[in-house]
Amino acid sequence: MKTIISEQEIKDFLKAYQDATNSHVFLNVFEMIHPRALYRFTDGDFSGIKDIEKAFEDNWKTIQDEMYLISDIEIIHTDVNSASVGYTFKWAGLVDNEQEAGKGKGTNIIVRNGDKLHFIYEHLSK
């Protein structure tokens, strides 16, 4: 019998996602994203793995040596098959050879897909 997705599982999953994002290797991120995922960023919506991969790759080209951090995690809902979370994100890196940084709010819906967790929705905004 499946158990409710725990707070610790969610925090561990978000930490692994942060680390995968900071690797700047999409294959590391890919394993955490549901094939039908929708990502909504300030510059548009990205649906499915190919679109999401392009968004990540474009971002890594724009922001060299980016470091991405997730904090202030708020678990909104959790059950045996899904979880909804909100958080603060921060980023820093080089844009046109100048150090820049920013922050915003993120919302994710996480689903259990077999025995693994995957993001099916992400919304980042300033």
Side-chain angles (χ1 to χ4, degrees), residues 87-114:
Y87 53 87
T88 299
F89 70 88
K90 296 178 184 176
W91 65 270
L94 294 173
V95 179
D96 296 327
N97 293 320
E98 298 287 331
Q99 186 66 39
E100 293 200 23
K103 67 179 183 175
K105 296 293 185 179
T107 304
N108 282 97
I109 299 174
I110 300 165
V111 294
R112 189 186 308 271
N113 191 10

Short mmCIF file of all heavy atoms in Angstrom, two decimals, residues 87-114:
data_model
loop_
_atom_site.label_atom_id
_atom_site.label_comp_id
_atom_site.label_asym_id
_atom_site.label_seq_id
_atom_site.Cartn_x
_atom_site.Cartn_y
_atom_site.Cartn_z
N TYR A 87 7.60 27.91 -2.74
CA TYR A 87 8.94 28.19 -2.21
C TYR A 87 9.46 29.50 -2.77
O TYR A 87 8.89 30.08 -3.69
CB TYR A 87 9.92 27.05 -2.53
CG TYR A 87 9.98 26.69 -4.00
CD1 TYR A 87 10.83 27.35 -4.88
CD2 TYR A 87 9.15 25.69 -4.51
CE1 TYR A 87 10.87 27.02 -6.21
CE2 TYR A 87 9.19 25.36 -5.85
CZ TYR A 87 10.05 26.03 -6.70
OH TYR A 87 10.07 25.70 -8.04
N THR A 88 10.55 29.94 -2.20
CA THR A 88 11.31 31.07 -2.73
C THR A 88 12.49 30.51 -3.49
O THR A 88 13.09 29.53 -3.06
CB THR A 88 11.81 31.96 -1.57
OG1 THR A 88 10.68 32.46 -0.85
CG2 THR A 88 12.65 33.12 -2.08
N PHE A 89 12.79 31.10 -4.64
CA PHE A 89 14.01 30.70 -5.36
C PHE A 89 14.90 31.93 -5.54
O PHE A 89 14.42 33.06 -5.60
CB PHE A 89 13.70 30.04 -6.72
CG PHE A 89 13.15 30.97 -7.76
CD1 PHE A 89 13.99 31.70 -8.60
CD2 PHE A 89 11.78 31.14 -7.90
CE1 PHE A 89 13.49 32.55 -9.56
CE2 PHE A 89 11.26 31.99 -8.87
CZ PHE A 89 12.11 32.71 -9.70
N LYS A 90 16.18 31.65 -5.58
CA LYS A 90 17.18 32.69 -5.84
C LYS A 90 18.14 32.15 -6.88
O LYS A 90 18.37 30.94 -6.94
CB LYS A 90 17.95 33.04 -4.57
CG LYS A 90 17.09 33.65 -3.49
CD LYS A 90 17.89 33.93 -2.23
CE LYS A 90 16.96 34.46 -1.15
NZ LYS A 90 17.64 34.65 0.12
N TRP A 91 18.66 33.05 -7.68
CA TRP A 91 19.66 32.67 -8.67
C TRP A 91 20.74 33.74 -8.72
O TRP A 91 20.50 34.90 -8.39
CB TRP A 91 19.05 32.45 -10.06
CG TRP A 91 18.47 33.71 -10.65
CD1 TRP A 91 17.19 34.17 -10.51
CD2 TRP A 91 19.15 34.68 -11.44
NE1 TRP A 91 17.03 35.37 -11.16
CE2 TRP A 91 18.22 35.70 -11.76
CE3 TRP A 91 20.45 34.79 -11.92
CZ2 TRP A 91 18.56 36.81 -12.52
CZ3 TRP A 91 20.80 35.90 -12.69
CH2 TRP A 91 19.85 36.88 -12.98
N ALA A 92 21.93 33.32 -9.13
CA ALA A 92 23.03 34.27 -9.33
C ALA A 92 23.94 33.69 -10.40
O ALA A 92 24.10 32.47 -10.51
CB ALA A 92 23.81 34.48 -8.04
N GLY A 93 24.51 34.57 -11.21
CA GLY A 93 25.42 34.14 -12.26
C GLY A 93 25.85 35.32 -13.11
O GLY A 93 25.52 36.47 -12.82
N LEU A 94 26.57 35.01 -14.17
CA LEU A 94 27.08 36.03 -15.07
C LEU A 94 26.15 36.20 -16.27
O LEU A 94 25.85 35.22 -16.96
CB LEU A 94 28.47 35.66 -15.57
CG LEU A 94 29.58 35.63 -14.53
CD1 LEU A 94 30.86 35.07 -15.15
CD2 LEU A 94 29.82 37.00 -13.94
N VAL A 95 25.71 37.42 -16.50
CA VAL A 95 24.92 37.76 -17.68
C VAL A 95 25.70 38.82 -18.43
O VAL A 95 25.96 39.90 -17.88
CB VAL A 95 23.51 38.28 -17.29
CG1 VAL A 95 22.72 38.66 -18.53
CG2 VAL A 95 22.76 37.24 -16.46
N ASP A 96 26.10 38.50 -19.65
CA ASP A 96 26.94 39.41 -20.43
C ASP A 96 28.18 39.84 -19.64
O ASP A 96 28.53 41.02 -19.58
CB ASP A 96 26.14 40.64 -20.89
CG ASP A 96 25.02 40.28 -21.84
OD1 ASP A 96 25.19 39.31 -22.62
OD2 ASP A 96 23.98 40.96 -21.81
N ASN A 97 28.80 38.86 -18.98
CA ASN A 97 30.02 39.06 -18.19
C ASN A 97 29.85 39.97 -16.98
O ASN A 97 30.84 40.46 -16.44
CB ASN A 97 31.18 39.57 -19.07
CG ASN A 97 31.60 38.52 -20.06
OD1 ASN A 97 31.67 37.33 -19.73
ND2 ASN A 97 31.87 38.94 -21.29
N GLU A 98 28.64 40.21 -16.57
CA GLU A 98 28.35 41.00 -15.37
C GLU A 98 27.65 40.11 -14.36
O GLU A 98 26.73 39.36 -14.71
CB GLU A 98 27.44 42.19 -15.70
CG GLU A 98 28.03 43.19 -16.68
CD GLU A 98 29.12 44.04 -16.06
OE1 GLU A 98 29.10 44.28 -14.85
OE2 GLU A 98 30.02 44.45 -16.82
N GLN A 99 28.05 40.20 -13.08
CA GLN A 99 27.40 39.42 -12.03
C GLN A 99 25.98 39.96 -11.81
O GLN A 99 25.80 41.16 -11.64
CB GLN A 99 28.20 39.50 -10.73
CG GLN A 99 27.69 38.61 -9.62
CD GLN A 99 27.81 37.13 -9.93
OE1 GLN A 99 28.78 36.68 -10.50
NE2 GLN A 99 26.82 36.36 -9.55
N GLU A 100 25.01 39.07 -11.86
CA GLU A 100 23.62 39.45 -11.62
C GLU A 100 22.98 38.41 -10.72
O GLU A 100 23.47 37.29 -10.59
CB GLU A 100 22.85 39.56 -12.94
CG GLU A 100 23.34 40.70 -13.79
CD GLU A 100 22.32 41.14 -14.83
OE1 GLU A 100 21.12 40.90 -14.64
OE2 GLU A 100 22.74 41.73 -15.83
N ALA A 101 21.86 38.79 -10.11
CA ALA A 101 21.14 37.89 -9.22
C ALA A 101 19.67 38.27 -9.24
O ALA A 101 19.30 39.39 -9.61
CB ALA A 101 21.69 37.96 -7.81
N GLY A 102 18.84 37.34 -8.85
CA GLY A 102 17.42 37.60 -8.77
C GLY A 102 16.75 36.60 -7.86
O GLY A 102 17.38 35.66 -7.37
N LYS A 103 15.47 36.84 -7.62
CA LYS A 103 14.71 35.91 -6.79
C LYS A 103 13.25 35.98 -7.18
O LYS A 103 12.82 36.89 -7.90
CB LYS A 103 14.89 36.20 -5.31
CG LYS A 103 14.30 37.53 -4.86
CD LYS A 103 14.51 37.71 -3.38
CE LYS A 103 13.85 39.01 -2.92
NZ LYS A 103 13.93 39.18 -1.48
N GLY A 104 12.50 35.02 -6.73
CA GLY A 104 11.08 34.99 -7.01
C GLY A 104 10.40 33.88 -6.24
O GLY A 104 10.97 33.32 -5.30
N LYS A 105 9.19 33.59 -6.65
CA LYS A 105 8.38 32.55 -6.01
C LYS A 105 8.16 31.41 -7.00
O LYS A 105 8.01 31.63 -8.20
CB LYS A 105 7.03 33.11 -5.56
CG LYS A 105 7.14 34.17 -4.50
CD LYS A 105 7.64 33.58 -3.20
CE LYS A 105 7.65 34.63 -2.09
NZ LYS A 105 8.12 34.05 -0.83
N GLY A 106 8.16 30.21 -6.46
CA GLY A 106 7.93 29.03 -7.27
C GLY A 106 6.78 28.20 -6.72
O GLY A 106 6.55 28.19 -5.51
N THR A 107 6.09 27.54 -7.61
CA THR A 107 5.04 26.60 -7.24
C THR A 107 5.25 25.35 -8.07
O THR A 107 5.48 25.43 -9.28
CB THR A 107 3.63 27.17 -7.56
OG1 THR A 107 3.48 28.42 -6.88
CG2 THR A 107 2.54 26.21 -7.12
N ASN A 108 5.21 24.20 -7.42
CA ASN A 108 5.34 22.93 -8.12
C ASN A 108 4.23 21.98 -7.73
O ASN A 108 3.79 21.98 -6.58
CB ASN A 108 6.67 22.23 -7.77
CG ASN A 108 7.83 22.83 -8.49
OD1 ASN A 108 8.52 23.66 -7.92
ND2 ASN A 108 8.05 22.44 -9.72
N ILE A 109 3.81 21.18 -8.69
CA ILE A 109 2.97 20.02 -8.42
C ILE A 109 3.84 18.81 -8.73
O ILE A 109 4.41 18.70 -9.82
CB ILE A 109 1.69 20.02 -9.26
CG1 ILE A 109 0.85 21.26 -8.93
CG2 ILE A 109 0.89 18.73 -9.01
CD1 ILE A 109 -0.36 21.44 -9.80
N ILE A 110 3.95 17.96 -7.75
CA ILE A 110 4.77 16.75 -7.83
C ILE A 110 3.83 15.56 -7.85
O ILE A 110 2.88 15.51 -7.07
CB ILE A 110 5.72 16.68 -6.61
CG1 ILE A 110 6.63 17.91 -6.56
CG2 ILE A 110 6.51 15.38 -6.62
CD1 ILE A 110 7.34 18.11 -5.24
N VAL A 111 4.09 14.61 -8.74
CA VAL A 111 3.26 13.40 -8.80
C VAL A 111 4.13 12.17 -8.60
O VAL A 111 5.31 12.16 -8.95
CB VAL A 111 2.48 13.29 -10.13
CG1 VAL A 111 1.46 14.40 -10.25
CG2 VAL A 111 3.41 13.27 -11.33
N ARG A 112 3.51 11.16 -8.04
CA ARG A 112 4.18 9.87 -7.94
C ARG A 112 3.95 9.15 -9.26
O ARG A 112 2.82 9.00 -9.72
CB ARG A 112 3.61 9.06 -6.79
CG ARG A 112 4.41 7.80 -6.49
CD ARG A 112 3.78 6.91 -5.44
NE ARG A 112 3.43 7.56 -4.19
CZ ARG A 112 4.24 7.68 -3.14
NH1 ARG A 112 5.46 7.22 -3.19
NH2 ARG A 112 3.80 8.26 -2.03
N ASN A 113 5.03 8.74 -9.90
CA ASN A 113 4.98 8.05 -11.18
C ASN A 113 5.70 6.71 -10.97
O ASN A 113 6.92 6.67 -10.95
CB ASN A 113 5.66 8.90 -12.26
CG ASN A 113 5.42 8.40 -13.65
OD1 ASN A 113 4.61 7.52 -13.88
ND2 ASN A 113 6.15 8.97 -14.60
N GLY A 114 4.93 5.66 -10.73
CA GLY A 114 5.52 4.39 -10.32
C GLY A 114 6.05 4.55 -8.91
O GLY A 114 5.34 4.98 -8.01
#
